[in-house]
Amino acid sequence: MEKLTVVTGTGVPLRRSNVDTDQIIPAVFLKRVKKTGFEDALFYAWRRDPEFVLNRPEYKQGKILVAGPDFGIGSSREHAVWALRDYGFRVVISSRFADIFYGNTAKNGVLAAIMPQESVELLWKLLEEEPGREMTVDLGARTVTCGDVTLPFEVGDYVRWRLMNGYDDIDLTLQHEDDIAAYEKMRAEKFPFKPKTIPAKHWPDVPIQSAREPEETQPWAGPIANRE
């Protein structure tokens, strides 16, 4: 997973609260097994409105989303974070996130930065005064800078550590690869009648078939496949 330390890019003001995961990405788009190809599905229903913020040319290259309270509520679909990341957002700022969505962001290289609502509203004002204005989010310093204004944000120490080091769940598991290998060796010697396991970094490239792609073109989508 790509490390996240400092993000500079266009800030997008999303003046909406109680944004649920079905609004972020409707269920009809949850058929893909890869984490890519969701950028056109992000906020699908809202983007049919020509006045929606992401349809304005100043915001189409947005990297930092500034949203209202209770962002990511509803179902636990991880695709919501995939869609945000695939569109280009590396940071979402809100005064309050749903717990499961917050956890999913850390696993997929997106920072969910928590700020008081008054700080969010100040950022909205600054971004709307100058559409397309760039912002800088410094995860090390835990600050957001927009123009001449610098504001602090909250992020859990563990989440901050994961993002700054670029650790997804597989990365964390492979930090214990030697222990895993030792256990599997002991298991094979002590219980030879049990099925043998495959080493963690050598998962085979086994094609699988989805409902949308023919078998010959659908690559193995397991999380360990690209860990060679």
Side-chain angles (χ1 to χ4, degrees), residues 132-191:
R133 183 196 289 266
E134 284 197 341
M135 304 171 58
T136 296
V137 176
D138 188 330
L139 182 53
R142 305 187 205 216
T143 58
V144 174
T145 300
C146 185
D148 296 329
V149 176
T150 297
L151 301 166
F153 66 85
E154 297 178 23
V155 61
D157 290 339
Y158 177 67
V159 170
R160 177 172 175 266
W161 172 78
R162 285 187 66 155
L163 290 172
M164 293 188 73
N165 286 281
Y167 292 151
D168 61 17
D169 286 350
I170 303 302
D171 294 315
L172 293 174
T173 299
L174 290 178
Q175 289 188 15
H176 304 282
E177 184 182 4
D178 291 343
D179 293 334
I180 295 171
Y183 170 80
E184 294 297 345
K185 182 175 182 296
M186 177 278 295
R187 177 179 177 274
E189 293 172 350
K190 191 172 183 179
F191 306 105

Side-chain angles (χ1 to χ4, degrees), residues 4-226:
L4 190 157
T5 53
V6 177
V7 177
T8 297
T10 302
V12 179
L14 182 66
R15 282 187 175 268
R16 304 197 185 207
S17 58
N18 301 303
V19 176
D20 64 41
T21 52
D22 194 57
Q23 291 166 325
I24 297 172
I25 181 169
V28 69
F29 295 105
L30 307 188
K31 299 175 182 178
R32 293 183 62 85
V33 295
K34 303 178 188 177
K35 293 185 178 184
T36 58
F38 296 103
E39 64 273 15
D40 292 335
L42 178 67
F43 300 130
Y44 180 78
W46 294 344
R47 286 166 73 181
R48 299 176 72 179
D49 176 3
E51 300 302 317
F52 181 60
V53 63
L54 288 187
N55 290 330
R56 296 182 57 181
E58 303 94 335
Y59 298 120
K60 284 190 174 180
Q61 302 301 317
K63 285 189 177 181
I64 302 167
L65 184 67
V66 185
D70 295 315
F71 189 87
I73 61 175
S75 75
S76 60
R77 66 190 69 170
E78 194 171 353
H79 294 70
V81 181
W82 297 357
L84 287 161
R85 175 67 189 271
D86 209 26
Y87 183 88
F89 288 114
R90 296 301 310 277
V91 180
V92 181
I93 297 171
S94 174
S95 61
R96 189 165 55 247
F97 292 96
D99 289 343
I100 295 176
F101 176 86
Y102 183 84
N104 285 338
T105 58
K107 297 176 182 179
N108 290 281
V110 175
L111 168 63
I114 302 172
M115 305 181 73
Q117 185 58 30
E118 54 266 28
S119 296
V120 171
E121 292 179 6
L122 174 57
L123 292 176
W124 281 341
K125 179 175 180 292
L126 293 171
L127 294 174
E128 289 169 349
E129 286 177 349
E130 185 183 321
R133 183 196 289 266
E134 284 197 341
M135 304 171 58
T136 296
V137 176
D138 188 330
L139 182 53
R142 305 187 205 216
T143 58
V144 174
T145 300
C146 185
D148 296 329
V149 176
T150 297
L151 301 166
F153 66 85
E154 297 178 23
V155 61
D157 290 339
Y158 177 67
V159 170
R160 177 172 175 266
W161 172 78
R162 285 187 66 155
L163 290 172
M164 293 188 73
N165 286 281
Y167 292 151
D168 61 17
D169 286 350
I170 303 302
D171 294 315
L172 293 174
T173 299
L174 290 178
Q175 289 188 15
H176 304 282
E177 184 182 4
D178 291 343
D179 293 334
I180 295 171
Y183 170 80
E184 294 297 345
K185 182 175 182 296
M186 177 278 295
R187 177 179 177 274
E189 293 172 350
K190 191 172 183 179
F191 306 105
F193 53 87
K194 289 189 175 183
K196 292 183 179 180
T197 57
I198 300 173
K201 283 191 176 181
H202 301 282
W203 199 271
D205 292 330
V206 180
I208 62 172
Q209 186 173 10
S210 73
R212 297 185 59 180
E213 298 181 80
E215 182 175 352
E216 63 270 20
T217 62
Q218 174 65 30
W220 165 246
I224 306 178
N226 296 321

